[in-house]
Amino acid sequence: MEPMGIDWSYPNKSAIDATGVLDQYDEEHGHPPGWTRSVIDKIEEDIRLSTGWAVGVEYFDPEDYSEEELAAWSWYQEEVIDGWDDLAEEHNETVDDTDNVVPDPYNPDHQYIDEPSPEFNPPSTNEWNGGDNPSQQLRVSTEALDFFANQIDQIAGDGTGILFDARSRLSSVDMRPGGFAKAELMRQKIDGSSADNPGLRGETMDVMLDIHQALFAVKSGLRAMVRGYDTSEEFNDMTAEDLGEAMDTAWSKINAIGDNGQGDGTNSGG
């Protein structure tokens, strides 16, 4: 089972293990499961601890390893490290094939997250009580706009707010639908199968982030408009062009929300 967010741009441990190529090597050469991974980890640890590591020289003593272990290391360097681009592309083209789906076995000792509380604590917002233009001399109140911006701040602060909180909780959900291929494919549809295909959860998180950014941009635009004028009377002279310039970022962020969910819904990709 592949965790969401694997970086396929280079041969890191998570991506290599996700391809299953080391397990395949074990099976083809009669080694017990995990043998090749343990050999690679040990050699890489020897290299890390060697004095040559500090000057960029990868060194380990071949005398410490058997012929089979050295053969596995040589194969790993040539077929996995040097051939990584082709290996990753081939894997991600067929990641949603049922025959290629190998879910992790169920672990009864694993601590899953607690069920989220159904309670919702709304942000602290207030009603405008600054008057309703009793003299009818103003078309717009900058004080009301500043008040509105402050209310948005309760929802979409600088890196804070209910959308950020909900996004963080959604990110920590660990789906385990079952140890069979069709259940794993369902998990991939929801959890995602790669960085380019985040699944329903990833797309929902993107929507939450885009809405947060749109609200934040609206708030910033409103405050920029208010700061641009010394008095409410001057504010009344604002032209449509002035308004467009002040809120340009906000409009673009709002329009970007509609781009979510436009993917093809597949699970391939790198």
Side-chain angles (χ1 to χ4, degrees):
M1 178 170 57
E2 297 180 21
M4 185 178 68
I6 288 179
D7 186 352
W8 293 94
S9 63
Y10 73 103
N12 59 85
K13 183 174 181 178
S14 296
I16 292 171
D17 288 348
T19 66
V21 66
L22 302 186
D23 295 334
Q24 182 179 352
Y25 185 90
D26 285 338
E27 183 177 353
E28 291 177 351
H29 292 79
H31 301 306
W35 181 88
T36 304
R37 165 52 65 194
S38 66
V39 171
I40 292 169
D41 288 348
K42 187 175 187 305
I43 293 179
E44 288 182 340
E45 179 68 6
D46 284 352
I47 293 173
R48 188 184 70 82
L49 295 175
S50 69
T51 55
W53 178 267
V55 294
V57 178
E58 295 189 358
Y59 172 80
F60 69 97
D61 189 352
E63 297 295 329
D64 293 338
Y65 295 90
S66 67
E67 291 185 4
E68 286 185 326
E69 290 172 331
L70 294 175
W73 175 253
S74 178
W75 164 85
Y76 173 73
Q77 294 298 312
E78 295 175 3
E79 301 296 330
V80 179
I81 301 302
D82 295 341
W84 175 249
D85 290 342
D86 291 338
L87 180 62
E89 181 179 1
E90 179 182 358
H91 169 76
N92 286 318
E93 284 178 349
T94 60
V95 69
D96 58 351
D97 289 351
T98 302
D99 292 341
N100 293 334
V101 177
V102 183
D104 287 343
Y106 173 69
N107 179 6
D109 297 325
H110 181 78
Q111 296 297 316
Y112 298 94
I113 65 172
D114 295 333
E115 183 178 352
S117 171
E119 297 179 357
F120 171 71
N121 298 318
S124 177
T125 57
N126 303 299
E127 294 183 2
W128 165 251
N129 58 9
D132 191 22
N133 191 19
S135 64
Q136 304 299 313
Q137 296 300 310
L138 300 176
R139 294 192 296 272
V140 177
S141 168
T142 54
E143 291 181 356
L145 289 176
D146 195 47
F147 176 86
F148 180 42
N150 290 336
Q151 301 310 296
I152 296 178
D153 195 45
Q154 303 302 311
I155 301 172
D158 187 1
T160 63
I162 57 174
L163 292 168
F164 260 30
D165 293 342
R167 187 174 183 271
S168 296
R169 296 193 69 171
L170 186 58
S171 176
S172 65
V173 172
D174 185 13
M175 283 192 59
R176 297 297 176 99
F180 53 98
K182 289 188 180 296
E184 170 60 12
L185 291 177
M186 180 185 70
R187 186 202 66 80
Q188 290 181 11
K189 289 292 185 181
I190 297 175
D191 254 6
S193 61
S194 70
D196 290 339
N197 288 274
L200 178 60
R201 178 175 66 167
E203 290 180 354
T204 302
M205 291 170 60
D206 288 343
V207 170
M208 289 178 174
L209 180 60
D210 286 347
I211 294 176
H212 175 93
Q213 291 176 338
L215 290 173
F216 189 89
V218 169
K219 174 187 65 178
S220 300
L222 289 172
R223 287 175 172 167
M225 284 169 24
V226 172
R227 288 195 303 269
Y229 295 86
D230 294 330
T231 68
S232 297
E233 285 74 16
E234 290 175 346
F235 189 89
N236 288 334
D237 295 329
M238 173 176 264
T239 66
E241 182 178 355
D242 294 331
L243 176 64
E245 290 179 357
M247 300 298 290
D248 181 64
T249 300
W251 304 149
S252 64
K253 293 293 185 182
I254 292 172
N255 290 333
I257 295 175
D259 296 333
N260 286 282
Q262 300 299 313
D264 57 13
T266 63
N267 291 93
S268 61

